[in-house]
Amino acid sequence: MSKPRDKQMTIDEVVAQLSDGMTIGIGGWGPRRKPMALVRAILRSDLKDLTIVSWGGADVGLLARAGKIRKVIYAFVSLDSIPLEPNFQRARQNGTIPEVVELDEGMFQTGLYAAAQRLPFLPMRAGLGSDVLVNNTWIKTVTSPYADENGDFEDFTAVPALKLDVALVHMNRADAHGNATYLGPDPYFDDLFVQAADKAYLTCEEIVDTAGLTVDTAVQRLLISRMAIDGVVETPNGAHFTTCTPDYERDEKFQKAYAAAAGGTDEEWTAFEQRFLAGDEAAYQAAVAAFAAEEAAK
Amino acid sequence: MTEFSRAEVCAAAIADAFAEDGEIFASPMGMLPMLGVRLAKLTSNPDLVISDGESLFLGGTPPLFAKADVVEGWIPFRRVFDVVAYGKRHVMMGATQVDKQGNQNISAIGDFAQPKRQLLGSRGAPGNTVNNRTSYWVPKHGPRVFVENVDIVSGVGPARAKAAGPGASKYNDIHRIVSNLAVFDVKGEGDTVRLLSVHPGVTIDEVIEATGFELSIPAEVPVTREPTETELMIIRNVLDPKTLRDREVPPVTAEATK
């Protein structure tokens, strides 16, 4: 019986597909279902001058702190229960990210839609009158070819396509071919990220048989089709310390420790990096388990 | 006379901002706006559509931060933008700065290229303000919040919307600004912020002093209405039995009102 190809690989094999200067879209939303194992693998790599497109959380903060970002495209960067991301704040206030594109959230989604539909732009109202269009003078407006009810030809923001070289997303379950489901409350925009990208890689909590994807799970939760996916990696706890509901919730204690270190002295940050980010993913997960045990003993 | 707190006055004023909205999605950002919206749903406007702030439309009206409730719909982040464009939505957002023209800033303080303080980012403010009814909530009214000109325009006030053309101004509707001191709209001369009422115990001069620009002040400025017995019962016994509201707007001591 013929089967679609097996796309399983390791996180390091995914990172080996990336190169300096690439535009990388990171799925999830703020501190929710982020492909953090891949973000950590990028931190360990020599990659540089990246353009990061993200509903930003610690992914943006970590990559900014590590000096990996040449350009960032975002509508917000937040840890939710901790509203402002300290590493991102530091990078912005020190001016260490050379290029910054802050969009409206709806524009961000529309930019992904445009890229996913292979259009150069899509029109919308968002952005008009705001400083999003003042701080990004390369974003143009477009005049409607149709008169409105008052006979006016309205101008709209021509939201440019957010075309990605690569998309990285994390899902709850996937098969070896790249079909994947989210089991949490919200799909976020992961399907748009993968369709907006030339290449897309997905990590997941667990790889299951294709038939297993719809056992006890509504077919409507199958968000991502294998035709958009180039590689699949099983990374249990791979979204840590962001949410991966219902497999696990956000690790608030760890996030607090992260934010304290990020907002603290250089020494405090270095200590955090040494403890958690210096080794590979297995070392990270071991350090996280040790941290959790320490916290539980308090 | 019934005793009530400043937070309870604010909750009722926020509820009033949503009273005439009919059957739309009421989208509050922050604790007092959530309390006010739920109060409106239980009193003046039972048709309001409310969410859990994450991905569910709620069939009932649960207390602040309660999880279990009847669900009447699904509103993941992506569908919020559909409702924004559809227009049947009234959002009440925070504002790190709001200016004389009713522009709002939640992006950054200082120069955008290298801000003195990076905030959240503009989030949905640019889109909200040109698509659906938008109000602002300011828990600590002061001259650093109410500034002559915001550093970065996230939310678009009516004057800027008009200048950007009908595509921007057609659905621009900055409805209310509610602070811990007073209630405003942006219908002053030349589309400027106008004082609508001062909260009980607050003088007009206090509001002027706490505002970093010249307010439009009508000849008659009423006192913001007191919460009713029913509203106080709902706030205290149903929606916020843990008095979380006092954390956002601390009770005003007799000393402070002298």
mmCIF file of all heavy atoms in Angstrom, chain A residues 29 32 75-77 89 92-93 102 104-105 109 125 129 131 148-149 154 185-186 188 191, chain B residues 54-55 74 76-78 81 107 112 114 117-118 120 122-124 127 153 160 167 170-171:
data_model
loop_
_atom_site.group_PDB
_atom_site.id
_atom_site.type_symbol
_atom_site.label_atom_id
_atom_site.label_comp_id
_atom_site.label_asym_id
_atom_site.label_seq_id
_atom_site.Cartn_x
_atom_site.Cartn_y
_atom_site.Cartn_z
ATOM 1 N N TRP A 29 1.119 31.979 19.914
ATOM 2 C CA TRP A 29 0.596 33.329 20.185
ATOM 3 C C TRP A 29 1.116 33.784 21.540
ATOM 4 O O TRP A 29 0.747 33.180 22.562
ATOM 5 C CB TRP A 29 -0.929 33.278 20.190
ATOM 6 C CG TRP A 29 -1.630 34.587 20.166
ATOM 7 C CD1 TRP A 29 -2.060 35.279 19.059
ATOM 8 C CD2 TRP A 29 -2.024 35.384 21.297
ATOM 9 N NE1 TRP A 29 -2.683 36.444 19.432
ATOM 10 C CE2 TRP A 29 -2.685 36.536 20.802
ATOM 11 C CE3 TRP A 29 -1.886 35.233 22.681
ATOM 12 C CZ2 TRP A 29 -3.195 37.526 21.623
ATOM 13 C CZ3 TRP A 29 -2.400 36.225 23.515
ATOM 14 C CH2 TRP A 29 -3.053 37.359 22.975
ATOM 15 N N ARG A 32 1.884 31.230 24.241
ATOM 16 C CA ARG A 32 1.047 30.042 24.036
ATOM 17 C C ARG A 32 1.505 29.218 22.834
ATOM 18 O O ARG A 32 1.681 29.737 21.746
ATOM 19 C CB ARG A 32 -0.408 30.478 23.818
ATOM 20 C CG ARG A 32 -0.902 31.347 24.963
ATOM 21 C CD ARG A 32 -2.300 31.834 24.740
ATOM 22 N NE ARG A 32 -2.576 32.948 25.650
ATOM 23 C CZ ARG A 32 -3.773 33.358 26.007
ATOM 24 N NH1 ARG A 32 -4.840 32.752 25.554
ATOM 25 N NH2 ARG A 32 -3.924 34.379 26.818
ATOM 26 N N ALA A 75 3.005 42.526 16.390
ATOM 27 C CA ALA A 75 1.937 43.457 16.776
ATOM 28 C C ALA A 75 1.981 43.698 18.286
ATOM 29 O O ALA A 75 1.468 44.682 18.784
ATOM 30 C CB ALA A 75 0.568 42.908 16.376
ATOM 31 N N PHE A 76 2.566 42.740 18.995
ATOM 32 C CA PHE A 76 2.806 42.872 20.431
ATOM 33 C C PHE A 76 3.870 41.855 20.787
ATOM 34 O O PHE A 76 4.098 40.892 20.050
ATOM 35 C CB PHE A 76 1.530 42.612 21.256
ATOM 36 C CG PHE A 76 1.018 41.192 21.114
ATOM 37 C CD1 PHE A 76 1.537 40.171 21.882
ATOM 38 C CD2 PHE A 76 0.033 40.895 20.172
ATOM 39 C CE1 PHE A 76 1.094 38.858 21.725
ATOM 40 C CE2 PHE A 76 -0.410 39.588 20.008
ATOM 41 C CZ PHE A 76 0.120 38.567 20.779
ATOM 42 N N VAL A 77 4.515 42.072 21.932
ATOM 43 C CA VAL A 77 5.379 41.048 22.507
ATOM 44 C C VAL A 77 5.024 40.994 23.989
ATOM 45 O O VAL A 77 5.150 41.994 24.698
ATOM 46 C CB VAL A 77 6.876 41.370 22.324
ATOM 47 C CG1 VAL A 77 7.734 40.261 22.941
ATOM 48 C CG2 VAL A 77 7.213 41.522 20.842
ATOM 49 N N GLN A 89 11.945 44.273 25.762
ATOM 50 C CA GLN A 89 11.990 45.664 26.216
ATOM 51 C C GLN A 89 13.420 46.191 26.230
ATOM 52 O O GLN A 89 13.695 47.283 25.739
ATOM 53 C CB GLN A 89 11.463 45.741 27.646
ATOM 54 C CG GLN A 89 9.985 46.042 27.741
ATOM 55 C CD GLN A 89 9.657 46.531 29.149
ATOM 56 O OE1 GLN A 89 9.929 45.841 30.120
ATOM 57 N NE2 GLN A 89 9.080 47.699 29.241
ATOM 58 N N ARG A 92 14.694 46.770 22.716
ATOM 59 C CA ARG A 92 14.108 47.969 22.098
ATOM 60 C C ARG A 92 14.697 49.228 22.720
ATOM 61 O O ARG A 92 15.023 50.181 22.011
ATOM 62 C CB ARG A 92 12.583 47.954 22.294
ATOM 63 C CG ARG A 92 11.858 46.987 21.393
ATOM 64 C CD ARG A 92 11.761 47.512 19.955
ATOM 65 N NE ARG A 92 10.802 48.596 19.843
ATOM 66 C CZ ARG A 92 11.041 49.749 19.205
ATOM 67 N NH1 ARG A 92 12.212 49.970 18.645
ATOM 68 N NH2 ARG A 92 10.107 50.672 19.120
ATOM 69 N N GLN A 93 14.815 49.241 24.041
ATOM 70 C CA GLN A 93 15.264 50.450 24.720
ATOM 71 C C GLN A 93 16.758 50.692 24.517
ATOM 72 O O GLN A 93 17.208 51.830 24.588
ATOM 73 C CB GLN A 93 14.892 50.376 26.216
ATOM 74 C CG GLN A 93 13.374 50.473 26.401
ATOM 75 C CD GLN A 93 12.840 50.030 27.743
ATOM 76 O OE1 GLN A 93 11.655 49.777 27.863
ATOM 77 N NE2 GLN A 93 13.694 49.921 28.751
ATOM 78 N N GLU A 102 6.351 47.331 13.676
ATOM 79 C CA GLU A 102 5.223 47.083 14.575
ATOM 80 C C GLU A 102 3.927 47.293 13.794
ATOM 81 O O GLU A 102 3.678 48.373 13.284
ATOM 82 C CB GLU A 102 5.285 48.026 15.770
ATOM 83 C CG GLU A 102 4.150 47.783 16.767
ATOM 84 C CD GLU A 102 4.259 48.680 17.993
ATOM 85 O OE1 GLU A 102 5.218 48.501 18.767
ATOM 86 O OE2 GLU A 102 3.404 49.565 18.162
ATOM 87 N N ASP A 104 -0.472 46.552 13.420
ATOM 88 C CA ASP A 104 -1.726 46.217 14.085
ATOM 89 C C ASP A 104 -1.918 44.699 13.985
ATOM 90 O O ASP A 104 -1.496 44.060 13.013
ATOM 91 C CB ASP A 104 -2.855 46.965 13.373
ATOM 92 C CG ASP A 104 -4.219 46.404 13.699
ATOM 93 O OD1 ASP A 104 -4.774 46.765 14.740
ATOM 94 O OD2 ASP A 104 -4.726 45.594 12.897
ATOM 95 N N GLU A 105 -2.582 44.106 14.981
ATOM 96 C CA GLU A 105 -2.784 42.644 14.981
ATOM 97 C C GLU A 105 -3.561 42.147 13.764
ATOM 98 O O GLU A 105 -3.239 41.120 13.188
ATOM 99 C CB GLU A 105 -3.576 42.233 16.227
ATOM 100 C CG GLU A 105 -2.768 42.159 17.486
ATOM 101 C CD GLU A 105 -3.658 41.813 18.677
ATOM 102 O OE1 GLU A 105 -4.668 42.492 18.886
ATOM 103 O OE2 GLU A 105 -3.328 40.866 19.391
ATOM 104 N N GLN A 109 -2.355 39.475 10.752
ATOM 105 C CA GLN A 109 -3.091 38.327 10.228
ATOM 106 C C GLN A 109 -3.328 38.476 8.716
ATOM 107 O O GLN A 109 -3.168 37.518 7.956
ATOM 108 C CB GLN A 109 -4.440 38.199 10.948
ATOM 109 C CG GLN A 109 -5.257 37.002 10.477
ATOM 110 C CD GLN A 109 -6.717 37.073 10.925
ATOM 111 O OE1 GLN A 109 -7.304 38.147 10.986
ATOM 112 N NE2 GLN A 109 -7.280 35.935 11.234
ATOM 113 N N ARG A 125 -8.943 48.301 6.683
ATOM 114 C CA ARG A 125 -8.985 49.638 7.280
ATOM 115 C C ARG A 125 -7.866 49.839 8.306
ATOM 116 O O ARG A 125 -7.397 50.952 8.515
ATOM 117 C CB ARG A 125 -10.328 49.867 7.978
ATOM 118 C CG ARG A 125 -11.484 49.933 7.033
ATOM 119 C CD ARG A 125 -12.812 50.200 7.749
ATOM 120 N NE ARG A 125 -13.901 49.825 6.878
ATOM 121 C CZ ARG A 125 -14.367 50.592 5.890
ATOM 122 N NH1 ARG A 125 -13.861 51.789 5.680
ATOM 123 N NH2 ARG A 125 -15.334 50.158 5.115
ATOM 124 N N GLY A 129 -4.629 56.267 9.669
ATOM 125 C CA GLY A 129 -4.666 57.287 10.718
ATOM 126 C C GLY A 129 -3.732 57.026 11.874
ATOM 127 O O GLY A 129 -3.487 57.910 12.688
ATOM 128 N N ASP A 131 -0.015 55.574 13.777
ATOM 129 C CA ASP A 131 1.421 55.692 13.527
ATOM 130 C C ASP A 131 2.028 54.429 12.940
ATOM 131 O O ASP A 131 3.216 54.417 12.597
ATOM 132 C CB ASP A 131 2.151 56.098 14.810
ATOM 133 C CG ASP A 131 2.092 57.604 15.042
ATOM 134 O OD1 ASP A 131 1.600 58.318 14.137
ATOM 135 O OD2 ASP A 131 2.522 58.078 16.115
ATOM 136 N N ASP A 148 -18.170 54.112 -2.771
ATOM 137 C CA ASP A 148 -18.999 53.639 -1.652
ATOM 138 C C ASP A 148 -20.395 54.260 -1.742
ATOM 139 O O ASP A 148 -20.729 54.939 -2.734
ATOM 140 C CB ASP A 148 -18.323 53.923 -0.310
ATOM 141 C CG ASP A 148 -18.331 55.397 0.071
ATOM 142 O OD1 ASP A 148 -18.856 56.229 -0.704
ATOM 143 O OD2 ASP A 148 -17.803 55.715 1.166
ATOM 144 N N GLU A 149 -21.228 54.059 -0.732
ATOM 145 C CA GLU A 149 -22.619 54.533 -0.776
ATOM 146 C C GLU A 149 -22.720 56.052 -0.865
ATOM 147 O O GLU A 149 -23.753 56.580 -1.283
ATOM 148 C CB GLU A 149 -23.390 53.987 0.449
ATOM 149 C CG GLU A 149 -22.874 54.425 1.811
ATOM 150 C CD GLU A 149 -21.676 53.606 2.329
ATOM 151 O OE1 GLU A 149 -21.056 52.852 1.541
ATOM 152 O OE2 GLU A 149 -21.345 53.735 3.516
ATOM 153 N N GLU A 154 -12.908 55.131 -1.260
ATOM 154 C CA GLU A 154 -12.176 55.034 0.000
ATOM 155 C C GLU A 154 -10.738 54.562 -0.208
ATOM 156 O O GLU A 154 -10.483 53.712 -1.060
ATOM 157 C CB GLU A 154 -12.872 54.045 0.942
ATOM 158 C CG GLU A 154 -14.225 54.488 1.448
ATOM 159 C CD GLU A 154 -14.873 53.389 2.280
ATOM 160 O OE1 GLU A 154 -15.557 52.534 1.692
ATOM 161 O OE2 GLU A 154 -14.666 53.377 3.503
ATOM 162 N N PRO A 185 -7.690 25.349 23.156
ATOM 163 C CA PRO A 185 -8.873 26.174 22.863
ATOM 164 C C PRO A 185 -8.790 26.968 21.564
ATOM 165 O O PRO A 185 -9.813 27.390 21.049
ATOM 166 C CB PRO A 185 -8.930 27.131 24.063
ATOM 167 C CG PRO A 185 -7.518 27.212 24.550
ATOM 168 C CD PRO A 185 -6.912 25.864 24.286
ATOM 169 N N ASP A 186 -7.589 27.152 21.038
ATOM 170 C CA ASP A 186 -7.432 28.129 19.957
ATOM 171 C C ASP A 186 -6.410 27.623 18.932
ATOM 172 O O ASP A 186 -5.341 27.152 19.324
ATOM 173 C CB ASP A 186 -6.944 29.458 20.580
ATOM 174 C CG ASP A 186 -7.185 30.661 19.700
ATOM 175 O OD1 ASP A 186 -6.814 30.611 18.504
ATOM 176 O OD2 ASP A 186 -7.730 31.661 20.187
ATOM 177 N N TYR A 188 -4.802 29.508 17.010
ATOM 178 C CA TYR A 188 -3.909 30.632 16.710
ATOM 179 C C TYR A 188 -3.835 30.797 15.198
ATOM 180 O O TYR A 188 -4.878 30.715 14.529
ATOM 181 C CB TYR A 188 -2.549 30.459 17.413
ATOM 182 C CG TYR A 188 -2.725 30.140 18.886
ATOM 183 C CD1 TYR A 188 -2.213 28.970 19.446
ATOM 184 C CD2 TYR A 188 -3.471 30.988 19.703
ATOM 185 C CE1 TYR A 188 -2.427 28.668 20.787
ATOM 186 C CE2 TYR A 188 -3.689 30.688 21.043
ATOM 187 C CZ TYR A 188 -3.173 29.526 21.575
ATOM 188 O OH TYR A 188 -3.403 29.228 22.880
ATOM 189 N N ASP A 191 -1.760 27.509 10.780
ATOM 190 C CA ASP A 191 -1.983 27.098 9.392
ATOM 191 C C ASP A 191 -1.613 28.222 8.425
ATOM 192 O O ASP A 191 -1.079 27.979 7.336
ATOM 193 C CB ASP A 191 -3.439 26.657 9.186
ATOM 194 C CG ASP A 191 -4.449 27.656 9.715
ATOM 195 O OD1 ASP A 191 -4.112 28.433 10.645
ATOM 196 O OD2 ASP A 191 -5.583 27.691 9.209
ATOM 197 N N GLU B 54 -10.679 34.599 26.266
ATOM 198 C CA GLU B 54 -9.780 33.708 25.546
ATOM 199 C C GLU B 54 -10.432 33.265 24.243
ATOM 200 O O GLU B 54 -10.235 33.887 23.212
ATOM 201 C CB GLU B 54 -9.370 32.523 26.414
ATOM 202 C CG GLU B 54 -8.223 31.763 25.776
ATOM 203 C CD GLU B 54 -7.487 30.854 26.728
ATOM 204 O OE1 GLU B 54 -7.903 30.718 27.882
ATOM 205 O OE2 GLU B 54 -6.479 30.265 26.289
ATOM 206 N N SER B 55 -11.263 32.213 24.276
ATOM 207 C CA SER B 55 -11.759 31.711 22.997
ATOM 208 C C SER B 55 -13.239 31.345 23.008
ATOM 209 O O SER B 55 -13.726 30.788 22.041
ATOM 210 C CB SER B 55 -10.939 30.497 22.572
ATOM 211 O OG SER B 55 -11.076 29.472 23.537
ATOM 212 N N TRP B 74 -17.763 30.228 19.749
ATOM 213 C CA TRP B 74 -16.306 30.061 19.709
ATOM 214 C C TRP B 74 -15.697 31.313 19.097
ATOM 215 O O TRP B 74 -16.085 31.700 17.996
ATOM 216 C CB TRP B 74 -15.990 28.825 18.867
ATOM 217 C CG TRP B 74 -14.551 28.426 18.847
ATOM 218 C CD1 TRP B 74 -13.739 28.235 19.916
ATOM 219 C CD2 TRP B 74 -13.765 28.135 17.686
ATOM 220 N NE1 TRP B 74 -12.494 27.838 19.499
ATOM 221 C CE2 TRP B 74 -12.478 27.774 18.140
ATOM 222 C CE3 TRP B 74 -14.034 28.135 16.319
ATOM 223 C CZ2 TRP B 74 -11.449 27.424 17.266
ATOM 224 C CZ3 TRP B 74 -13.018 27.789 15.449
ATOM 225 C CH2 TRP B 74 -11.728 27.431 15.918
ATOM 226 N N PRO B 76 -12.014 32.249 18.797
ATOM 227 C CA PRO B 76 -10.551 32.241 18.866
ATOM 228 C C PRO B 76 -9.999 33.559 18.321
ATOM 229 O O PRO B 76 -10.733 34.318 17.680
ATOM 230 C CB PRO B 76 -10.163 31.066 17.976
ATOM 231 C CG PRO B 76 -11.265 30.979 16.980
ATOM 232 C CD PRO B 76 -12.509 31.369 17.729
ATOM 233 N N PHE B 77 -8.728 33.815 18.552
ATOM 234 C CA PHE B 77 -8.142 35.111 18.196
ATOM 235 C C PHE B 77 -8.435 35.501 16.754
ATOM 236 O O PHE B 77 -8.767 36.639 16.456
ATOM 237 C CB PHE B 77 -6.633 35.104 18.439
ATOM 238 C CG PHE B 77 -6.285 35.053 19.893
ATOM 239 C CD1 PHE B 77 -5.628 33.958 20.433
ATOM 240 C CD2 PHE B 77 -6.635 36.091 20.744
ATOM 241 C CE1 PHE B 77 -5.325 33.909 21.786
ATOM 242 C CE2 PHE B 77 -6.331 36.049 22.093
ATOM 243 C CZ PHE B 77 -5.672 34.954 22.613
ATOM 244 N N ARG B 78 -8.318 34.549 15.833
ATOM 245 C CA ARG B 78 -8.477 34.893 14.418
ATOM 246 C C ARG B 78 -9.899 35.402 14.133
ATOM 247 O O ARG B 78 -10.081 36.251 13.283
ATOM 248 C CB ARG B 78 -8.157 33.682 13.545
ATOM 249 C CG ARG B 78 -9.050 32.482 13.833
ATOM 250 C CD ARG B 78 -8.779 31.356 12.852
ATOM 251 N NE ARG B 78 -7.391 30.890 12.947
ATOM 252 C CZ ARG B 78 -6.825 30.108 12.045
ATOM 253 N NH1 ARG B 78 -7.503 29.710 10.985
ATOM 254 N NH2 ARG B 78 -5.582 29.692 12.189
ATOM 255 N N PHE B 81 -10.825 39.208 14.746
ATOM 256 C CA PHE B 81 -10.590 40.190 13.678
ATOM 257 C C PHE B 81 -11.736 40.213 12.671
ATOM 258 O O PHE B 81 -12.019 41.241 12.060
ATOM 259 C CB PHE B 81 -9.255 39.924 12.985
ATOM 260 C CG PHE B 81 -8.111 39.914 13.960
ATOM 261 C CD1 PHE B 81 -7.309 38.796 14.105
ATOM 262 C CD2 PHE B 81 -7.871 41.005 14.775
ATOM 263 C CE1 PHE B 81 -6.282 38.769 15.037
ATOM 264 C CE2 PHE B 81 -6.851 41.002 15.700
ATOM 265 C CZ PHE B 81 -6.052 39.875 15.835
ATOM 266 N N SER B 107 1.927 51.582 22.611
ATOM 267 C CA SER B 107 3.070 51.041 21.872
ATOM 268 C C SER B 107 4.385 51.242 22.621
ATOM 269 O O SER B 107 5.066 50.276 22.957
ATOM 270 C CB SER B 107 3.138 51.716 20.500
ATOM 271 O OG SER B 107 4.338 51.423 19.847
ATOM 272 N N PHE B 112 9.909 56.264 18.735
ATOM 273 C CA PHE B 112 9.669 54.874 18.333
ATOM 274 C C PHE B 112 10.963 54.136 17.990
ATOM 275 O O PHE B 112 11.108 52.950 18.293
ATOM 276 C CB PHE B 112 8.690 54.797 17.149
ATOM 277 C CG PHE B 112 8.364 53.377 16.779
ATOM 278 C CD1 PHE B 112 7.449 52.643 17.529
ATOM 279 C CD2 PHE B 112 9.003 52.743 15.712
ATOM 280 C CE1 PHE B 112 7.170 51.319 17.221
ATOM 281 C CE2 PHE B 112 8.724 51.422 15.395
ATOM 282 C CZ PHE B 112 7.813 50.707 16.151
ATOM 283 N N GLN B 114 13.950 54.341 19.197
ATOM 284 C CA GLN B 114 14.579 53.808 20.422
ATOM 285 C C GLN B 114 13.818 54.351 21.627
ATOM 286 O O GLN B 114 14.195 55.367 22.214
ATOM 287 C CB GLN B 114 16.066 54.166 20.501
ATOM 288 C CG GLN B 114 16.741 53.441 21.670
ATOM 289 C CD GLN B 114 18.243 53.625 21.691
ATOM 290 O OE1 GLN B 114 18.847 54.001 20.690
ATOM 291 N NE2 GLN B 114 18.847 53.368 22.834
ATOM 292 N N ARG B 117 10.712 53.670 26.941
ATOM 293 C CA ARG B 117 10.081 52.503 27.545
ATOM 294 C C ARG B 117 9.231 51.799 26.488
ATOM 295 O O ARG B 117 8.289 52.377 25.942
ATOM 296 C CB ARG B 117 9.212 52.950 28.720
ATOM 297 C CG ARG B 117 8.619 51.814 29.505
ATOM 298 C CD ARG B 117 8.123 52.300 30.871
ATOM 299 N NE ARG B 117 7.060 51.443 31.389
ATOM 300 C CZ ARG B 117 7.266 50.242 31.949
ATOM 301 N NH1 ARG B 117 8.477 49.764 32.060
ATOM 302 N NH2 ARG B 117 6.240 49.526 32.372
ATOM 303 N N GLN B 118 9.605 50.566 26.202
ATOM 304 C CA GLN B 118 8.828 49.756 25.273
ATOM 305 C C GLN B 118 7.613 49.196 26.001
ATOM 306 O O GLN B 118 7.735 48.628 27.082
ATOM 307 C CB GLN B 118 9.685 48.615 24.719
ATOM 308 C CG GLN B 118 8.931 47.627 23.851
ATOM 309 C CD GLN B 118 8.442 48.223 22.535
ATOM 310 O OE1 GLN B 118 9.131 49.018 21.911
ATOM 311 N NE2 GLN B 118 7.241 47.856 22.118
ATOM 312 N N LEU B 120 3.541 47.277 25.224
ATOM 313 C CA LEU B 120 3.087 46.024 24.593
ATOM 314 C C LEU B 120 3.314 45.961 23.088
ATOM 315 O O LEU B 120 3.579 44.907 22.520
ATOM 316 C CB LEU B 120 1.570 45.887 24.801
ATOM 317 C CG LEU B 120 1.063 45.147 26.011
ATOM 318 C CD1 LEU B 120 -0.449 45.093 25.940
ATOM 319 C CD2 LEU B 120 1.638 43.728 26.078
ATOM 320 N N SER B 122 1.310 47.990 19.502
ATOM 321 C CA SER B 122 0.007 48.613 19.229
ATOM 322 C C SER B 122 -1.157 47.636 19.273
ATOM 323 O O SER B 122 -2.316 48.030 19.258
ATOM 324 C CB SER B 122 0.041 49.337 17.885
ATOM 325 O OG SER B 122 0.708 50.564 18.041
ATOM 326 N N ARG B 123 -0.847 46.336 19.297
ATOM 327 C CA ARG B 123 -1.884 45.303 19.368
ATOM 328 C C ARG B 123 -2.995 45.588 18.365
ATOM 329 O O ARG B 123 -2.732 45.866 17.215
ATOM 330 C CB ARG B 123 -2.424 45.200 20.791
ATOM 331 C CG ARG B 123 -1.382 44.619 21.732
ATOM 332 C CD ARG B 123 -1.984 43.832 22.858
ATOM 333 N NE ARG B 123 -2.615 42.612 22.395
ATOM 334 C CZ ARG B 123 -2.967 41.623 23.175
ATOM 335 N NH1 ARG B 123 -2.759 41.691 24.464
ATOM 336 N NH2 ARG B 123 -3.513 40.558 22.687
ATOM 337 N N GLY B 124 -4.261 45.532 18.797
ATOM 338 C CA GLY B 124 -5.346 45.722 17.835
ATOM 339 C C GLY B 124 -5.874 47.144 17.770
ATOM 340 O O GLY B 124 -6.874 47.396 17.091
ATOM 341 N N GLY B 127 -6.660 48.919 14.317
ATOM 342 C CA GLY B 127 -7.808 48.321 13.643
ATOM 343 C C GLY B 127 -9.112 48.538 14.385
ATOM 344 O O GLY B 127 -10.146 48.824 13.775
ATOM 345 N N VAL B 153 0.777 57.029 18.053
ATOM 346 C CA VAL B 153 -0.671 56.858 17.905
ATOM 347 C C VAL B 153 -0.966 55.391 17.593
ATOM 348 O O VAL B 153 -0.710 54.913 16.487
ATOM 349 C CB VAL B 153 -1.240 57.757 16.793
ATOM 350 C CG1 VAL B 153 -2.734 57.496 16.612
ATOM 351 C CG2 VAL B 153 -0.992 59.232 17.107
ATOM 352 N N ARG B 160 -7.822 62.567 13.572
ATOM 353 C CA ARG B 160 -6.871 61.869 12.688
ATOM 354 C C ARG B 160 -7.599 60.948 11.723
ATOM 355 O O ARG B 160 -7.171 60.767 10.582
ATOM 356 C CB ARG B 160 -5.852 61.080 13.517
ATOM 357 C CG ARG B 160 -4.798 62.005 14.103
ATOM 358 C CD ARG B 160 -3.668 61.275 14.762
ATOM 359 N NE ARG B 160 -2.930 60.350 13.938
ATOM 360 C CZ ARG B 160 -1.610 60.388 13.772
ATOM 361 N NH1 ARG B 160 -0.914 61.354 14.321
ATOM 362 N NH2 ARG B 160 -1.008 59.460 13.070
ATOM 363 N N GLY B 167 -12.287 56.063 4.497
ATOM 364 C CA GLY B 167 -11.927 54.680 4.815
ATOM 365 C C GLY B 167 -11.611 54.528 6.292
ATOM 366 O O GLY B 167 -11.897 53.501 6.907
ATOM 367 N N LYS B 170 -15.204 56.488 8.556
ATOM 368 C CA LYS B 170 -16.574 55.992 8.413
ATOM 369 C C LYS B 170 -17.063 55.263 9.665
ATOM 370 O O LYS B 170 -18.184 55.446 10.101
ATOM 371 C CB LYS B 170 -16.610 55.054 7.199
ATOM 372 C CG LYS B 170 -17.997 54.689 6.748
ATOM 373 C CD LYS B 170 -17.934 53.817 5.493
ATOM 374 C CE LYS B 170 -17.999 54.656 4.239
ATOM 375 N NZ LYS B 170 -18.077 53.835 3.023
ATOM 376 N N TYR B 171 -16.223 54.422 10.243
ATOM 377 C CA TYR B 171 -16.642 53.627 11.403
ATOM 378 C C TYR B 171 -15.872 53.995 12.670
ATOM 379 O O TYR B 171 -15.938 53.277 13.660
ATOM 380 C CB TYR B 171 -16.506 52.132 11.104
ATOM 381 C CG TYR B 171 -17.283 51.712 9.876
ATOM 382 C CD1 TYR B 171 -16.640 51.225 8.747
ATOM 383 C CD2 TYR B 171 -18.674 51.839 9.842
ATOM 384 C CE1 TYR B 171 -17.345 50.856 7.605
ATOM 385 C CE2 TYR B 171 -19.392 51.484 8.709
ATOM 386 C CZ TYR B 171 -18.717 50.997 7.592
ATOM 387 O OH TYR B 171 -19.432 50.647 6.484
#
